[in-house]
């Protein structure tokens, strides 16, 4: 039998049973689309989180008050309540040669008003180092004064959203805004940076750290952002931070230092594993589709026993009958795979349009795996009933036995 | 005298039904010559179909020897049995066994497709075969759109398209009215007149009597063989 005749015969057989064919195609393309969509989601989540971390800048260390034991352990005993981090603690860190910049941070919320407009926003008290450490840029004006950070000055930088809301895109430089109960002069506007680790940097006002201390009447820092001189100095910087802080805190090691790199690495690993797991779940769904295909093919074989018997009575060799059924399975697999691929990629496109911040994309391995698994399941689960069909004796098959 | 076209020697076929053994063919021996016209008759369950299936290599036998053109077939592997079926034997069934989704022409072409004949060559052969049986207007019809007589004629065209020397028919008129039956028998006899060896299983004594040689079976044995 010529290959094109085999193909044509199988194609006609598939068209003769549209319900069965549609069912198998549906199962296949759901399986393939599921693999693509789920792995895209996983991969998108990974890229999103890594992007968020990289938005923080590299060489970054974050110092938090309190010791958080990631390995569990007993709850802190009485008397070991961690000390607050103070501005002096932060400024002391500048002694370390491994440390390039130190940005102490006080965080609070307060209404910001200009003329008749008012908006409740996050207020971040810090030093000029904040801008370079978090890779923030000025759209206009100048940064915070580089003078003694212990001195409060009544100046502020507006985030892009705050500026647009309060000034309706008009010039803000030199204008006075009211933050809480005090007046601050606008000396700069930040360029839009968008989301960074969950905090919307554009809906925020930055003021000198000493001013924030006065405004919120709170001497303690929310955290300290430290940049090392280089990536290679991160370990040295970490050691120095611990040593200096312990000296200042009566020998207590009561801070937590988070290195951005290790965080990224951890999240990367977790999220890669998640993507694989999602891919695995989807692969199982394709396997289920394969079993469905086998069932439907088995039914098809018994429905078409007389036809198989006839083919054998006309002198079709066993291998030819096998080939006919495998061709059917392959046709189903390619059509189901192709439709599933289109559906999956279309779904990813829709998803990306619906959630602009999220760029889901299927990893290459998932695409290849989806196609390979489709063909394997199609052939494997198609060949079992095909084998059964081809083994039948012509009389037995003809009489439907 | 020339070697017979077919020699059957002590062919046995038994079926195990529960703890009972049914001897469907019980030491059947026959010599069949090329161009013979044989009818096989006998009561229901006497083994007529089993004999025809054995001759058509549609079924296994349990013992005995079956030689066709001098070649022993009982020991052949399945691949070669398929080849013999393809090239030497045409089979006609009581229930036609046409593939419902294929047109009359495609049903007739099926044996040619299996041998790998190019489509263009196939087409003229099929057209000739259909025309020879008065079916030229029905080439594109599906079996369901044809009468029983027409369907059996399509089946005859399919069984003879390979120009196999042996034509086996198991109650070919069993599902047909008397007019269609006469038509089918006329076609089969015409084919026999052209040299094909024809073996017809039938319940109809009028049809059976027309054959030059009449074999009668009872309980798996040949009890009469009239030339
Ligand atoms: N697959 C089978 N399994 C068990 N017994 C069978 C099988 N095929 C045939 N037989 C038995 O073998 C015997 C001969 O059957 P066969 O079909 O050859 O009879 P027949 O002469 O063609 O009958 P009919 O005229 O009714 O068609 C019967 O007793 C039948 O029951
Ligand atoms: Mg019978």
């Amino acid at each position: 039998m010529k290959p094109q005749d085999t193909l044509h015969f199988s194609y006609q057989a598939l068209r003769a049973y549209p319900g069965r064919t549609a069912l198998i195609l549906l199962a296949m393309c759901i399986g393939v689309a599921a693999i693509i969509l789920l792995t895209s989601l996983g991969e998108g989540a990974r890229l999103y989180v890594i992007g968020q971390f990289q938005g923080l800048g590299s060489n970054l260390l974050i110092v938090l008050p309190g010791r958080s034991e990631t390995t569990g352990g007993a709850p802190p005993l009485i008397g070991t309540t961690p000390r607050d981090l103070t501005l002096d603690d932060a400024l002391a860190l500048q002694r370390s040669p491994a440390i390039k910049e130190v940005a102490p941070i006080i965080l609070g919320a307060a209404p910001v008003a200009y003329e008749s407009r008012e908006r409740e926003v996050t207020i971040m008290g810090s030093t000029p180092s904040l801008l370079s450490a978090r890779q923030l840029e000025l759209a206009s004006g100048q940064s915070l004064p580089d003078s003694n950070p212990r001195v409060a000055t009544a100046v502020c930088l507006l985030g892009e959203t705050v500026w647009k809301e309060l000034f309706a895109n008009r010039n803000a430089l030199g204008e006075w805004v009211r933050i809480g109960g005090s007046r601050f002069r606008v000396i700069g506007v930040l360029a839009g940076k968008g989301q960074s680790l969950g905090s919307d940097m554009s809906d925020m006002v930055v003021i000198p750290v000493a001013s924030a201390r006065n405004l919120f009447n709170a001497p303690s820092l929310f955290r300290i952002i430290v940049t090392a001189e280089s990536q290679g100095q991160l370990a040295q910087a970490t050691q120095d931070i611990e040593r200096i802080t312990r000296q200042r805190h009566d020998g207590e090691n009561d801070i937590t230092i988070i290195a951005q790199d290790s965080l990224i690495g951890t999240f990367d690993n977790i999220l890669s594993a998640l993507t694989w797991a999602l891919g695995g779940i989807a692969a199982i769904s394709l396997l289920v589709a394969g079993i469905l295909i086998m069932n439907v093919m088995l039914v098809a074989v018994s429905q078409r026993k007389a036809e198989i018997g006839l083919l054998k009575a006309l002198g079709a060799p066993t291998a030819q009958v096998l080939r006919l059924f495998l061709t059917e399975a392959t046709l189903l697999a390619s059509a189901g795979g192709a439709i599933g691929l289109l559906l999956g990629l279309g779904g990813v496109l829709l998803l990306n349009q619906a959630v602009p911040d999220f760029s889901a994309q299927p990893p290459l391995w998932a695409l290849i795996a989806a196609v390979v698994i489709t063909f394997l399941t199609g052939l494997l689960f198609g060949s079992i009933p095909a084998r059964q069909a081809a083994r039948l004796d012509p009389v037995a098959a003809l009489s439907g036995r | 005298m020339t070697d017979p076209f077919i020699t059957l020697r002590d062919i046995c076929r038994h079926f195990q039904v529960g703890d009972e053994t049914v001897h469907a063919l019980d030491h059947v021996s026959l010599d069949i010559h090329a161009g013979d016209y044989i009818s096989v008759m006998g009561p229901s369950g006497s083994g007529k179909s089993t004999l025809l299936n054995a001759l058509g290599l549609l079924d296994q036998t349990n013992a005995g020897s079956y030689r066709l053109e001098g070649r022993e077939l009982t020991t052949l592997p399945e691949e070669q049995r398929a080849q013999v079926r393809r090239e030497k034997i045409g089979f006609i069934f009581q229930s036609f066994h046409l593939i419902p989704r294929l047109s009359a022409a495609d049903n007739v072409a099926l044996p040619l497709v299996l041998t790998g004949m190019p489509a263009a060559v196939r087409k003229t052969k099929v057209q000739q075969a259909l025309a020879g049986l008065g079916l030229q207007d029905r080439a594109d019809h599906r079996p369901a759109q044809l009468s029983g007589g027409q369907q059996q004629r399509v089946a005859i065209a399919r069984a003879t398209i390979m120009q196999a020397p042996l034509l086996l028919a198991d109650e070919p008129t069993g599902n047909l009215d008397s007019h269609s039956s006469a038509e089918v028998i006329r076609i089969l006899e015409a084919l026999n007149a052209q040299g094909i060896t024809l073996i017809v299983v039938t319940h109809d004594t009028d049809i059976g009597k027309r054959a030059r040689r009449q074999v009668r079976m009872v309980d798996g044995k040949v009890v009469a063989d009239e030339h």
Side-chain angles (χ1 to χ4, degrees), chain A residues 1-2 5-6 8-9 12-14 16-17 304 306-307 309-320 324 328 393-396 398-399 401, chain B residues 13 53 56-60 78-79 82-83 85-86 89 91 93 96-99 101-102 106-107 110-111 113-119 122 158:
Chain A
M1 201 161 170
K2 288 200 184 308
D5 288 329
T6 305
H8 184 67
F9 190 88
Q12 278 184 320
L14 288 176
Y17 303 90
R304 283 162 61 193
E307 177 185 326
L310 176 78
L311 286 173
K312 298 200 78 174
L314 293 178
T318 309
Q320 181 60 59
L324 284 171
E328 276 185 40
D393 246 338
V395 253
L398 275 169
S399 59
R401 258 179 279 135
Chain B
R13 176 68 169 134
N53 291 337
L57 296 182
L58 303 186
D59 196 8
Q60 312 281 337
E78 168 56 26
E79 270 333 75
Q83 192 190 354
R85 284 200 293 270
R86 204 157 58 227
I89 304 167
F91 215 107
F93 307 90
F96 322 134
H97 279 307
L98 300 175
I99 295 183
R101 63 171 178 278
L102 300 182
D106 285 348
N107 267 291
L110 209 47
V113 171
L114 288 174
T115 62
M117 182 181 284
R122 252 161 30 207
R158 180 181 65 191

Side-chain angles (χ1 to χ4, degrees), chain A residues 160-214:
Chain A
E160 197 186 24
T161 308
V162 182
W163 167 62
K164 281 182 180 157
E165 290 290 326
L166 294 185
F167 288 89
N169 286 355
R170 279 182 288 122
N171 171 50
L173 297 182
E175 299 293 323
W176 289 85
V177 293
R178 179 167 290 280
I179 303 179
S182 319
R183 274 155 48 86
F184 286 79
R185 198 161 61 87
V186 179
I187 57 167
V189 176
L190 295 174
K193 194 188 179 191
Q195 295 274 325
S196 170
L197 251 199
S199 55
D200 186 352
M201 292 303 292
S202 66
D203 200 6
M204 174 168 292
V205 172
V206 183
I207 59 179
V209 64
S211 311
R213 197 167 57 173
N214 295 344

